[in-house]
């Protein structure tokens, strides 16, 4: 019976396929597609379970050979160029290896990607010109040797550069391992070495391009973002996690090419599965244009003859682990494994010799297939495009590396392997030179060089090339923020409120307003920024297609095509990628865009620290604001919200300025100075500034305090009323904790102890200045008598010194070396606790009574206070001397 059903099914299937063929021939593909769609929907309505099935297509090229465009290039010559690049790229790594210095390098990644890069270079990657926006191309980091090799052929790099691959500090110039704009600011445009970040970075670069166009700041004259990534790299969550935004924002200027060589560093990406099919599902599900490039042209004829789908069925069933194995086996072995127990397939394959079976290409090594996919993706259709390109890792390395699990790390080849590679690649070189891995330099007049230069000229010039296109802005006047310098009178406010007012003021500025980019994850209301919605609008490419629920309110949720605010939703990775895109627009688009990204401070460096590091690499500018900061100032929220360490994390970014301001005037001074330094003086720095949600009255800038002191990080805020007492205490405060300092000051003065109050907006700036002076002293370029800023301020002061902040003690300790001997630091080491502000401050021992206790103890050491006096203080103020250490408990 079952056999009967099976037979009937087979007959039905044949009949249906025959009818379908007729429909394709008679009605054409479009109508056939519509018919199948309606059949599908009908079947689903009838209860047939088809949902999800549509997210995978067969394991063949998406573009049928019949739709393949004519290849416009001279493929023979292009292949020669590719082979020279392959050789020189390999030679760079081998020479670095031969030097014996263990410099490392990678051959296999570029070997798998060389053909697609060549097609890109010869036909697609278009430079910015007067009428074209310009393509941003991001390359796989480990393919860098190939990109250098091409720049060498284009005459942009010298042979010394190539020889000094991974020797950046060579006097005659060297090359960094991977794409690092910071290390090669005239060449690399965007960093990609930390895998996974480039996907999200480029999605947001493409979005920011559209943002600039929709806001009328950039012409709508094209410009694509081409992103090349590895299939192993696709496991990084940042890329897949932000796929939807590319569709929502209709990023048809984005082309993601996944180099599916089926291998990562250690071995197969999906030995037991199929990475291409898995990615196809994810991308199709998200709504991208998906193009699979799997098979080379040699398979076309076989696939055409495969009327019953036997071959495709086999292709569907083979696993990536099998395909990887086929790349290293002999043709005979591949065939026997491929056709095992399948006589019909064996028959179909008989037209190919074993050698043909072995050398049959994967699509990613076939110019025609690559070109067809690139051409399709480069045509805007309202959606982002992904190309899943199947290749062989180490292609062309022969037995030395092709398809092997160890190929990623392969940096050396034997003399014979080198000679074999040169022969295979057709490099006209003596065996002796090949064994030494000498570079091959075709003459300037050679066909190869002429062709490649002509192609690049036609496409506008060389890529990558980084430029700094933006003109410096006018310096901001000294009084731009004078209202903030005057203080808030009786009115209590937080530094966050001050920040929002500064941003509003900047947004309204006629010169600068258009360049300000407020970036907020889903926290605008937390920071009191919702007032900006109405005035500046939230960027939304489709505008506002619905009536907002709060339309009748003053600060309604206004979305608009030319909105200025980037509302990122709960996506810190996306928000920081927007920051990166805005903060690098000065270079990529010639626009001095100034991002102000404000976030919950604990969800900054600790969540997206690597992206911030990449921002540093890309010389991104702008302001990061850690909102609701301070371990005890953010009360109630507990362990995962209360941040007492972001300043430590930010301190490791070499070109980042970190500030923890206490007062409105400090914030205004720092922001003004920051804009001037970054956009007028064009310094390659960026800022991290913490702001808090604690309200207090903002004092006016005292007359004796200069802007310069604030920027340098330290100034005396208040002198003690009298200097009569020998007992002298200096309290160093920052951020909101200044309120605790003021209280402690009162208590100490009441005890007859004189107090000076110092504000320390930046411990880090002080430390950096002092470290540089120390360095100069060691080098002998500075006299041993010279004093650091810290020493200049404190060396004439007597007494004891207490630093107190809402951050871990290592922040205050970072200046200890230059402080007078009696220096003690209070801070908030330990996990946060859900508690009230005052209880938290007692818990972390930074409240007024703990500040006073520390002062008394230090004075006791100086013999100015007795132990009995300190004891009496602890008793009257209920200090539990057996309290557990909050740093541990
Ligand atoms: C975040 C991060 N983790 C690990 C690495 C180290 N690493 C460099 S390349 C690589 C394997 C890459 O495999 P794949 O993405 O498939 O690229 P392929 O070289 O195969 O083209 C690894 C693990 C890195 N550079 N960045
Ligand atoms: Mg790979």
């Amino acid at each position: 019976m079952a056999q009967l059903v099976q037979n009937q099914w087979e007959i039905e299937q044949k009949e249906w396929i025959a009818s379908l063929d007729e429909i394709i021939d008679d009605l054409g593909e479009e109508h056939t597609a519509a018919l199948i769609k309606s059949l599908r929907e009908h079947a689903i309505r009838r209860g047939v379970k088809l949902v999800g099935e549509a997210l995978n297509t067969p394991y063949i090229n998406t573009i049928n050979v019949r739709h393949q465009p004519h290849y416009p290039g001279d493929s023979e010559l292009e292949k020669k160029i590719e082979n020279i690049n392959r050789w020189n790229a390999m030679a760079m790594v081998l020479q670095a290896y031969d030097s014996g210095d263990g410099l490392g390098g990678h051959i296999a990644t570029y070997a798998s990607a060389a053909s697609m890069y060549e097609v890109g270079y010869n036909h697609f990657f278009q430079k910015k010109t007067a009428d074209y926006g310009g393509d941003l191309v991001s390359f796989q980091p480990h393919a860098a040797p190939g990109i250098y090799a091409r720049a060498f052929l284009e005459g942009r790099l010298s042979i010394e550069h190539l020889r000094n691959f991974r020797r950046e500090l060579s006097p005659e110039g060297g090359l960094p391992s991977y794409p690092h704009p910071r290390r090669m600011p005239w060449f690399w445009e965007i960093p990609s070495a930390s895998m996974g970040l480039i996907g999200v970075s480029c999605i947001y670069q493409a979005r920011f391009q559209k943002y600039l166009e929709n806001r009328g700041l950039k012409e709508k004259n094209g410009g694509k973002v081409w992103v090349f990534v590895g299939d192993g790299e696709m496991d990084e969550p940042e890329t897949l996690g932000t796929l939807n935004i590319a569709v929502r924002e209709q990023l048809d200027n984005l082309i993601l090419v996944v180099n599916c060589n089926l291998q990562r560093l250690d071995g197969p990406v999906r030995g037991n599965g199929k990475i291409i099919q898995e990615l196809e599902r994810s991308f199709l599900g998200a709504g991208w244009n998906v193009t699979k490039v799997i098979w080379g042209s040699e398979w076309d004829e076989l696939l055409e003859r495969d009327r019953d789908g036997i071959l495709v069925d086999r292709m569907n069933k083979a696993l990536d682990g099998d395909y990887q194995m086929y790349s290293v086996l002999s043709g005979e072995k591949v065939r026997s494994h491929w056709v095992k127990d399948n006589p019909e397939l064996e028959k179909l394959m008989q037209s190919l010799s074993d050698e043909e079976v072995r050398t049959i290409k994967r699509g990613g090594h076939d110019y025609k297939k690559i070109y067809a996919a690139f051409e399709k993706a480069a045509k805007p259709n309202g959606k982002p495009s992904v190309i899943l390109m199947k290749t062989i890792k180490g292609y062309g390395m022969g037995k030395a590396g092709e398809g092997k699990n160890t190929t990623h790390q392969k940096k050396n080849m034997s003399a014979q392997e080198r000679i074999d590679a040169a022969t295979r690649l057709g490099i006209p070189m003596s065996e002796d030179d090949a064994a030494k891995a000498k570079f091959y330099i075709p003459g300037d007049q050679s066909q190869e060089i002429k062709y490649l230069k002509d192609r690049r000229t036609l496409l506008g010039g060389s890529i990558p090339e980084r430029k700094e296109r933006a003109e410096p802005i006018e310096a901001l006047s000294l009084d731009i923020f004078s209202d903030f310098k005057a203080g808030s009178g009786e009115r209590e406010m937080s530094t966050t409120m001050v920040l929002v007012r500064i941003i509003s003021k900047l947004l309204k500025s006629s010169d600068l307003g258009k360049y300000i980019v407020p970036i907020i994850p889903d926290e605008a209301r937390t920071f009191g920024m919702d007032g900006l919605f109405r005035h500046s609008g939230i960027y939304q490419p489709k505008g506002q297609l619905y009536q907002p629920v709060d339309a009748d309110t003053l600060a309604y949720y206004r979305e608009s095509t030319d909105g200025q605010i980037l509302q990122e939703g709960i996506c810190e990775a996306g928000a920081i990628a927007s920051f990166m895109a805005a903060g690098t627009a000065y270079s990529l688009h010639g626009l001095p865009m100034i991002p102000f990204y404000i976030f919950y401070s604990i969800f900054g460096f600790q969540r997206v620290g690597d992206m911030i590091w990449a921002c540093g690499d890309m010389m991104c500018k702008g302001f990061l604001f850690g909102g609701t900061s301070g371990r005890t100032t953010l009360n109630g929220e507990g362990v995962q919200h209360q941040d007492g360490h972001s300043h430590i994390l930010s301190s490791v970014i070499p070109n980042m300025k970190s500030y923890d301001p206490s007062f409105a005037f400090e914030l205004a001074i720092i922001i003004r100075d920051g804009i001037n330094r970054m956009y007028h003086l064009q310094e390659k720095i960026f800022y991290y500034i913490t702001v808090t949600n604690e309200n207090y009255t903002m004092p006016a800038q005292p007359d004796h305090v200069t802007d310069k002191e604030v920027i340098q990080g330290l100034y005396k805020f208040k002198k003690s009323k009298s200097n009569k007492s020998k007992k002298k205490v200096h309290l160093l405060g920052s951020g909101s904790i200044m309120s605790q300092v003021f209280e402690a000051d009162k208590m100490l003065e009441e005890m007859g102890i004189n107090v000076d109050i110092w504000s320390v907006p930046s411990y880090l700036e002080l430390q950096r200045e002092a470290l540089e002076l120390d360095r100069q002293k060691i080098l002998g370029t500075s006299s041993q008598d010279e004093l650091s800023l810290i020493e200049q301020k404190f060396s004439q002061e007597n007494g004891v010194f207490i630093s107190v902040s809402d951050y871990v003690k290592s922040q205050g300790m970072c200046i200890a070396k230059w402080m007078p001997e009696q220096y003690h630091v209070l801070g908030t080491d330990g996990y946060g606790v859900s508690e009230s502000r005052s209880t938290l401050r007692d818990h972390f021992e930074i409240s007024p009574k703990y500040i006073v206790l520390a002062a008394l103890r230090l004075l006791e050491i100086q013999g100015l206070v007795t132990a009995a006096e300190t004891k009496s203080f602890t008793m009257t103020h209920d200090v539990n001397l057996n309290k557990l250490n909050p740093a541990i408990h």
Side-chain angles (χ1 to χ4, degrees):
M1 185 66 186
Q3 186 58 42
L4 206 66
V5 173
Q6 175 67 19
N7 289 346
Q8 197 184 339
W9 185 86
E10 278 173 14
I11 294 165
E12 284 287 343
Q13 190 200 25
K14 283 204 167 119
E15 283 177 10
W16 275 72
I17 287 178
S19 331
L20 194 63
D21 277 344
E22 271 175 38
I23 289 170
I24 298 173
D25 294 341
D26 295 351
L27 297 180
E29 290 167 16
E30 232 172 90
H31 282 103
T32 313
L35 178 71
I36 293 174
K37 185 166 180 271
S38 75
L39 285 177
R40 234 185 91 74
E41 284 169 8
H42 183 80
I44 292 169
R45 278 202 305 277
R46 289 284 314 272
V48 178
K49 292 194 182 93
L50 282 176
V51 183
E53 296 288 310
L55 290 182
N56 261 137
T57 60
Y59 198 62
I60 53 173
N61 297 341
T62 307
I63 301 174
N64 188 283
V65 64
R66 278 179 291 127
H67 297 147
Q68 207 171 283
H70 163 73
Y71 191 73
D74 179 340
S75 39
E76 211 173 299
L77 202 47
E78 289 179 9
K79 187 49 88 184
K80 280 190 185 162
I81 298 168
E82 180 187 316
N83 285 346
I84 297 170
N85 275 328
R86 283 174 177 277
W87 173 259
N88 284 341
M90 200 183 321
M92 282 168 73
V93 178
L94 294 173
Q95 286 187 23
Y97 179 88
D98 292 346
S99 73
D101 287 341
L103 291 168
H106 300 85
I107 301 173
T109 302
Y110 176 68
S112 68
S115 312
M116 54 179 122
Y117 286 149
E118 272 316 301
V119 175
Y121 271 123
N122 289 322
H123 304 282
F124 291 94
F125 304 158
Q126 225 178 310
K127 194 71 181 279
K128 192 182 185 75
T129 57
D131 354 291
Y132 182 70
D135 293 348
L136 171 65
V137 186
S138 171
F139 301 92
Q140 273 185 271
H142 297 72
I147 309 307
Y148 291 139
R150 200 169 207 280
F152 170 65
L153 285 193
E154 286 179 30
R156 304 173 65 206
L157 294 179
S158 66
I159 197 152
E160 280 74 29
H161 279 118
L162 261 56
R163 261 189 213 124
N164 291 326
F165 174 54
R166 294 189 172 226
R167 284 181 198 277
E168 289 184 69
L169 302 180
S170 304
E172 65 278 25
L175 299 171
S177 50
Y178 306 119
H180 294 304
R182 173 161 287 280
R183 305 304 318 178
M184 239 176 133
W186 54 274
F187 191 84
W188 294 115
E189 290 188 283
I190 185 161
S192 59
S194 178
M195 318 215 86
L197 301 186
I198 198 62
V200 59
S201 305
C202 284
I203 288 174
Y204 283 79
Q205 284 288 355
R207 176 185 182 226
F208 198 71
Q209 247 181 41
K210 297 253 179 194
Y211 167 91
L212 292 176
E213 287 176 1
N214 281 323
R215 287 194 50 215
L217 290 165
K218 174 189 175 297
E219 264 186 69
K220 288 192 178 176
N221 61 352
K224 298 190 186 331
V225 180
W226 293 83
V227 202
F228 290 83
V229 294
D231 48 358
E233 186 173 4
M234 290 307 289
D235 282 345
E236 294 282 5
E238 288 89 346
T239 316
L240 287 176
T242 49
L243 291 191
N244 288 335
I245 189 159
V247 175
R248 241 172 16 237
E249 304 269 329
Q250 302 172 315
L251 303 182
D252 55 9
N253 52 345
L254 177 67
I255 300 162
L256 179 65
V257 185
V258 189
N259 177 5
C260 297
N261 53 27
L262 314 187
Q263 289 176 244
R264 43 183 159 80
L265 192 150
D266 285 338
V269 176
R270 295 287 184 275
N272 283 331
K274 281 225 217 359
I275 187 66
I276 291 183
Q277 299 300 87
E278 184 182 320
L279 291 174
E280 179 182 41
R281 282 192 294 279
S282 300
F283 280 95
L284 275 181
W288 286 54
N289 295 315
V290 180
T291 304
K292 297 194 290 192
V293 179
I294 301 183
W295 305 113
S297 302
E298 296 84 349
W299 288 95
D300 287 341
E301 201 256 334
L302 269 188
L303 283 164
E304 200 64 17
R305 279 198 279 130
D306 180 33
R307 302 293 296 174
D308 297 331
I310 305 161
L311 178 58
V312 174
D313 192 46
R314 183 71 184 91
M315 287 168 165
N316 284 340
K317 284 192 180 128
L319 300 171
D320 279 359
D322 297 326
Y323 284 118
Q324 187 189 345
M325 191 183 62
Y326 297 150
S327 67
V328 300
L329 289 185
S330 69
E332 187 194 346
K333 289 206 171 124
V334 172
R335 182 196 298 276
S336 70
H337 191 272
W338 185 248
V339 302
K340 191 162 174 274
D341 301 330
N342 197 335
E344 284 177 84
L345 184 59
E346 192 172 358
K347 205 165 122 210
L348 189 73
M349 300 283 294
Q350 264 165 6
S351 59
L352 300 179
S353 70
D354 283 353
E355 184 55 11
E356 280 168 332
V357 169
R358 193 186 68 79
T359 54
I360 261 177
K361 282 199 202 77
R362 292 188 181 169
H365 302 301
D366 184 324
Y367 287 165
K368 288 186 200 153
K369 302 292 176 194
I370 301 167
Y371 183 88
F374 280 8
E375 193 215 41
K376 179 181 159 211
K379 278 190 202 129
N381 75 343
K383 286 179 177 187
S385 290
V386 63
I387 299 168
L388 304 172
M389 191 84 88
K390 188 167 173 176
T391 62
I392 291 179
K393 191 147 179 168
Y395 187 68
M397 287 169 77
K399 289 208 166 63
E402 226 167 65
K404 294 209 167 133
N405 273 339
T406 49
T407 192
H408 187 87
Q409 303 286 65
K410 180 93 181 165
K411 308 172 193 329
N412 187 23
M413 286 160 73
S414 68
Q416 194 53 50
E417 284 169 340
R418 296 174 188 204
I419 294 165
D420 291 347
T423 312
R424 231 179 4 258
L425 295 170
I427 304 297
M429 186 177 270
S430 71
E431 290 200 347
D432 199 29
D433 285 351
K436 286 188 186 131
K438 288 208 168 165
F439 296 118
Y440 175 63
I441 317 169
D444 263 359
Q445 293 310 313
S446 66
Q447 271 186 313
E448 291 92 334
I449 298 293
K450 277 192 183 157
Y451 182 88
L452 123 169
K453 285 192 174 167
D454 281 354
R455 296 305 310 168
R456 288 315 312 161
T457 309
L458 271 170
L459 290 162
S462 292
I463 277 181
E465 186 184 32
R466 183 179 176 279
K467 285 205 166 144
E468 295 194 4
R469 300 181 164 91
E471 293 297 319
I473 63 164
E474 292 280 314
L476 295 190
S477 71
L478 262 177
D479 58 1
I480 176 167
F481 298 134
S482 52
D483 27 346
F484 300 100
K485 290 181 154 194
S488 65
E490 294 292 295
R491 195 163 168 218
E492 293 199 335
M493 59 197 310
S494 65
T495 41
T496 307
M497 284 163 75
V498 176
L499 171 64
V500 175
R501 287 176 186 205
I502 290 177
I503 295 176
S504 308
K505 184 168 179 121
L506 286 168
L507 283 166
K508 286 176 191 145
S509 143
S510 55
D511 308 325
L512 223 52
K514 59 178 180 287
Y515 299 131
I516 307 293
V517 185
I519 302 172
I520 333 166
D522 194 24
E523 296 287 354
R525 293 182 201 281
T526 313
F527 305 129
M529 294 179 84
D530 39 335
L532 299 181
F533 292 167
R534 173 82 180 262
H535 172 261
S536 302
I538 295 162
Y539 172 67
Q540 169 52 251
K542 291 185 189 140
Q544 193 153 34
L545 307 175
Y546 62 97
Q547 160 110 354
V549 65
D550 52 1
D552 55 348
T553 63
L554 210 58
Y556 77 91
Y557 199 83
R558 186 170 80 84
E559 300 195 73
S560 95
T561 313
D562 63 353
Q564 194 159 354
I565 299 170
L566 289 174
Q567 161 61 265
E568 304 290 355
I570 313 168
C571 180
E572 281 79 14
I576 193 70
S578 277
F579 177 80
M580 183 190 243
T584 52
Y586 75 94
S587 150
L588 292 174
H589 304 290
L591 290 164
M593 306 307 290
I594 313 177
F596 283 75
Y597 169 26
I598 175 162
F599 49 87
Y600 243 106
S601 72
I602 207 161
F603 305 132
F605 288 86
Q606 132 169 341
R607 173 64 77 105
V608 290
D610 203 9
M611 274 293 281
I612 299 176
W613 186 260
C615 286
D617 191 344
M618 204 172 164
M619 291 167 285
C620 174
K621 300 179 183 180
F623 295 97
L624 296 173
F625 291 95
T628 60
S629 72
R631 182 100 73 212
T632 68
T633 306
L634 176 58
N635 50 353
E637 294 284 334
V639 175
Q640 288 190 298
H641 282 69
Q642 290 164 348
D643 158 41
H645 50 281
S646 60
H647 276 290
I648 306 302
L649 304 180
S650 70
S651 73
V652 299
I653 313 256
N655 64 328
M656 170 160 271
K657 308 270 164 201
S658 287
Y659 286 95
D660 182 25
S662 299
F663 308 125
F665 72 85
E666 290 181 2
L667 190 57
I669 290 169
I670 295 160
I671 291 178
R672 179 186 163 274
D673 182 60
I675 294 178
N676 275 346
R677 289 182 69 173
M678 291 186 284
Y679 296 92
H680 174 63
L681 300 173
Q682 311 265 46
E683 284 186 48
K684 305 292 177 342
I685 51 176
F686 59 145
Y687 283 73
Y688 177 58
I689 304 173
T690 40
V691 286
T692 76
N693 61 356
E694 183 166 8
N695 291 328
Y696 45 86
T697 54
M698 293 290 159
Q701 180 174 4
D703 291 338
H704 67 274
V705 177
T706 64
D707 288 14
K708 188 171 169 197
E709 285 176 299
V710 174
I711 293 158
Q712 286 174 331
L714 172 68
Y715 65 92
K716 189 182 276 187
F717 176 74
K718 189 218 91 172
K719 244 190 183 133
S720 58
K721 284 193 203 95
S722 104
N723 249 343
K724 283 190 196 132
S725 173
K726 271 194 184 164
K727 300 174 204 165
K728 180 72 188 267
V729 175
H730 299 265
L731 298 180
L732 283 63
S734 57
S736 237
I737 298 308
M738 210 42 125
S739 58
Q740 308 301 290
V741 168
F742 290 162
E743 287 297 312
D745 169 41
K746 269 191 229 154
M747 290 164 74
L748 286 164
E749 290 280 357
E750 276 166 19
M751 296 160 83
I753 298 171
N754 293 154
V755 179
D756 282 359
I757 297 177
W758 300 78
S759 176
V760 194
S762 181
Y763 283 92
L764 183 60
E765 284 301 289
L766 293 177
Q767 188 203 31
R768 284 177 175 165
E769 192 270 349
L771 284 173
E772 167 58 2
L773 185 63
D774 275 6
R775 175 178 165 271
Q776 299 275 349
K777 286 180 184 174
I778 294 289
L779 292 173
T781 48
S782 182
S783 127
Q784 296 299 329
D785 306 331
E786 227 168 285
L787 297 180
S788 65
L789 263 167
I790 307 164
E791 291 160 319
Q792 287 168 35
K793 297 275 186 196
F794 291 120
S795 59
Q796 300 301 317
E797 303 283 357
N798 295 316
V800 299
F801 300 79
I802 317 268
S803 147
V804 55
S805 81
D806 226 356
Y807 292 87
V808 290
K809 291 172 186 166
S810 57
Q811 169 158 268
M813 285 306 290
C814 81
I815 59 166
K817 179 181 175 192
W818 306 274
M819 287 297 286
E821 201 181 326
Q822 292 301 328
Y823 177 57
H824 185 75
V825 175
L826 301 173
T828 57
D829 298 44
Y831 285 115
V833 182
S834 301
E835 256 303 347
S836 68
R837 227 171 241 161
S838 64
T839 308
L840 278 168
R841 285 170 179 170
D842 277 342
H843 173 74
F844 284 105
E845 300 162 14
I846 60 164
S847 60
K849 67 181 179 190
Y850 283 98
I851 300 173
V852 174
L853 174 61
L856 293 178
R857 206 59 92 188
L858 294 194
L859 289 170
E860 204 185 303
I861 296 167
Q862 286 196 329
L864 297 168
V865 162
T866 64
E869 283 173 304
T870 313
K871 186 164 183 205
S872 147
F873 174 82
T874 57
M875 286 172 71
T876 49
H877 287 82
D878 227 5
V879 180
N880 173 6
L881 301 176
N882 297 316
K883 189 173 164 292
L884 292 173
N885 183 356
I888 303 164
H889 296 283

